[in-house]
Amino acid sequence: MRLGRFEAALAIEALVAQCHGSPSLRPEAGLDAARRFEAAQILRRAVSDSPTGGYAPGEVDCPSDRPTVRTADTVSPEESEWLELRRPNTVDPMRDFLGRMNIPDFDAAGYIDTHRDNVSALPNVAIAASGGGYRALMNGAGAVSAFDSRTPDSTSSGHLGGLLQLATYFSGLSGGAWLVGSIYVNNFTTIQDLQSPESAPVYDLEQPLFKGPARDGIGLFNTLDYFNDIQGAVSSKADAGFNVSITDYWGRGLSYQLVEGADGGPGITWSSIAQDAEFAAGRTPMPIVLAVKRDPGEKLRSSNTTVFEFNPWELGTFDPTVFGFAPLRYLGTPFSAGSVPDDESCVRGFDNAGFVMGTSSSLFNFVLMDLEDNDAIPEIFRGAVEGLVDSISDDNNDIADYRPNPFYFFNNDTNPGASSKSLNLVDGGLDLQNIPLHPLIQPTRNVDVVFAVDSSADTSNWPNGTALVATYERSMNEEMSNGTAFPAIPDQSTFVNLGLNARPTFFGCDSGNLTGPAPLVVYLPNAPYVFLSNVSTDDPDHTRAVRDAIILNGYNVVTQGNATQDADWPACVGCAILSRSFERTGTEVPSICQTCFERYCWDGTRNSTTPAPYLPSIGLEELEIESSGVTTFHQSGGSSLALFMFLLAMVFVSS
C-alpha cells in the first residue's frame, strides 16, 4: 500500500503527536499498521529530491543564480558556511570524549575550554572507511558503532563512543561508501537501527542482491518483480534521454539493501543529504564518497589517477588534471566551459544516492568481462546476458557513465577529458588507494588526525597496508600530489613481518618529518578479535548471526577489545587526537602521550623479507554462532554477481 502526499503528511503529523503523548494516533484515527510503518520509513530516510519523483532525472528551470563549475583552489562556499556551524558543534562532544579517555596529569576539559573560542586551535578529526565489499560494510559498521555515543555502553570505560560526534569528516569508498551512504540516506541513523529486524531490508544480508528483499508471497515471483522494478527504473532514465550503464542496475539493487523502504528510495539523491536538518545545522560529520576517473581501456595506477569525491554539495576533484567541482544537485545539466548555456535548461535528480554508492563500488563489473567462462550462467542464456551488457555499453563494462560531462571544456589545458561528452567513473579502490584518504589530506581542509579503518583483502582477505602504500606513493608524484603530503609508509612485507596489519599503528607522529601539512593517521586494520571476519569481498549473503559477529568484531578492532588488550588505549586515542593541536598551541605533551607515541608510532623500522603465509588466530574469546554464515542459495562472489546480471537479462529480453 502506497501513501499519497496528503496521507503521508497526516501519518507524519499523527506520529509526531504520538511522540508527544497525544492519543490521536489510534486505529480509529484511520491509519492502519501498514500506513504507520511506511510513514515511519518516510521519517527515517532522506528527502526524495528528484523532480520526476522517481529514478529518472528531469529538466527544471535553472535558478536565477545559474549553477557553475568552480576551480578547486579551496572548499566550496557551502562547505565553508557549514564548517562555521560544525566546528563549534564538535567542541562539547570533544570535551566530553577526551575527559572520558583518562589522560593522566592532563586537564582535558580545561584545555578545550581554554581554546573553545578559537576552534582552529582544537583538533580537526576525520574517519575513513575502506572498501572491501560486504566485509568492509560490516567491519566498518562495527567501527562506527564503537565511535557512536548513541550505541549502548559505548561511553563506558575502555570504549570510544563519541568519536563520531566530534569528527568533522567521514569518508568511504566501495563497501565503505555503502556504510557511509546507508547511515546518511537514512537520516544519520545508528548501526543498531540498521541491524534491527524492523529496519529490513536494510542490512538484511540474508537476502542477496540477486534475490531481492524478502516479501510476502512466492519467492521466485518476488524476485522477478524486484528485477522488473529495477529494469523499469533504469529504463525510465534511458527514456528521459540519459545514457545508462551497468552501474545504474547495480546501484538500484544496492539501494534495496541500503535505503530503508520497500522501493529502495528511487528519488533520493546524494545532494539531498544537504537538506537534512541535522546535517544542515552542523550536528553531524560531512559524508564524502570516492570514485576514480577511468576511460575505456585505461590502466589505473595510484600515481596517475584522478580521484573524484561526492560530497553533499559537489562532485569534483582537487587533482591538477580537472581541478574543479560541479554542483551535485544539477548533475545531468549540459555544462560547457563551466557554465550552463543560455538556451539550456537545468537538470536535477541525476545524483541518485544508489547510483553514487554504486559508482564507488563498480568493481563488480569485472565479473562481466569473463562471462563466457562463468559456470553460474546456463549456456543457453549467456547470449541474453551479453546482449544486456552490449545494449548498455560496448566497452565500458566497469564504468559509470556521467553524461553529460559536467567538466566539458573545463580547464582545457590540463583536463584530459575536457573534450569528452562523458565523465567515466569507477570503483574508488581500483587504483589501490582503498582507504578514502584523498579528500582528507587536502591542505584546504586542515584535518589533524584520520582514523583509517582498513577492511581490505590483501592477504587471505586481511589487510597488509597496500592502501596506505598506494596513497604514500602517490604523494611522492609531484605532478599529481598538488601540494598534498602524506606520512612515510613501509612496504607490505614490513606490515606483516612487524605485525602492523594486526594492531593499531600511528603514522606521521612527527610533523617535522613531513614534506608539508598532513594529518596523523591512526591505522585500524581488520583483525580477528572475536570472529574470523575475513569473508570474501564478493560474498553476497551472510546470516544475521555472522553479520552481527563481524560488526561486533569491528567494534573490538577499534577499541582493542574495549581496552582489554591495552588499558592505555583510550588515552592513546586521545593523545593522537590532540597531537597536532598541542603543536599549534605550544602545549607540553603529557607523559602518557609520549609513552603512547613510543608504543604505537611507526619508528621507521623495516623488514622487507617475504613473510610467511598470514593466518592470524582469534585474539580474544571466539564468538559461538549457530550458522556457517551463508544461506542455502549461496554462490561464490563472482558467480552470484553474474547471476544478478543473468536475472536482469531475463527481464530485459522479455520486456
Side-chain angles (χ1 to χ4, degrees), residues 129-132 171-178 289-290 360 427-429 433-436:
S130 82
S171 65
L173 65 78
S174 198
W178 305 348
V289 299
L290 269 60
S360 187
D427 189 299
Q433 295 187 93
N434 200 38
I435 304 175

Side-chain angles (χ1 to χ4, degrees), residues 10-35:
L10 287 177
I12 292 172
E13 182 179 1
L15 282 171
V16 171
Q18 184 188 47
C19 291
H20 288 82
S22 168
S24 62
L25 187 58
R26 300 189 304 268
E28 57 268 29
L31 285 172
D32 61 20
R35 292 190 177 190

Side-chain angles (χ1 to χ4, degrees), residues 45-58 60 180-187 237 252 255 259 264-276 279 287 289 310-314 327-332 347-357 402:
R45 68 186 192 188
V47 176
S48 179
D49 196 42
S50 172
T52 66
Y55 186 71
V60 296
V180 173
S182 62
I183 292 171
Y184 280 86
V185 300
N186 294 300
N187 287 337
K237 179 178 177 179
R252 285 306 302 139
S255 294
V259 181
I268 294 177
T269 59
W270 194 260
S271 58
S272 70
I273 293 171
Q275 302 175 49
D276 176 77
F279 174 77
V289 299
F310 296 83
N311 64 54
W313 303 284
E314 295 183 310
L328 186 64
R329 196 181 191 204
Y330 291 101
L331 284 189
V347 170
R348 286 206 343 251
F350 192 100
D351 63 311
N352 173 270
F355 184 56
V356 170
M357 290 186 280
Y402 284 74

Side-chain angles (χ1 to χ4, degrees), residues 339-352:
S339 301
V340 184
D342 292 339
D343 59 346
E344 294 284 2
S345 298
C346 286
V347 170
R348 286 206 343 251
F350 192 100
D351 63 311
N352 173 270

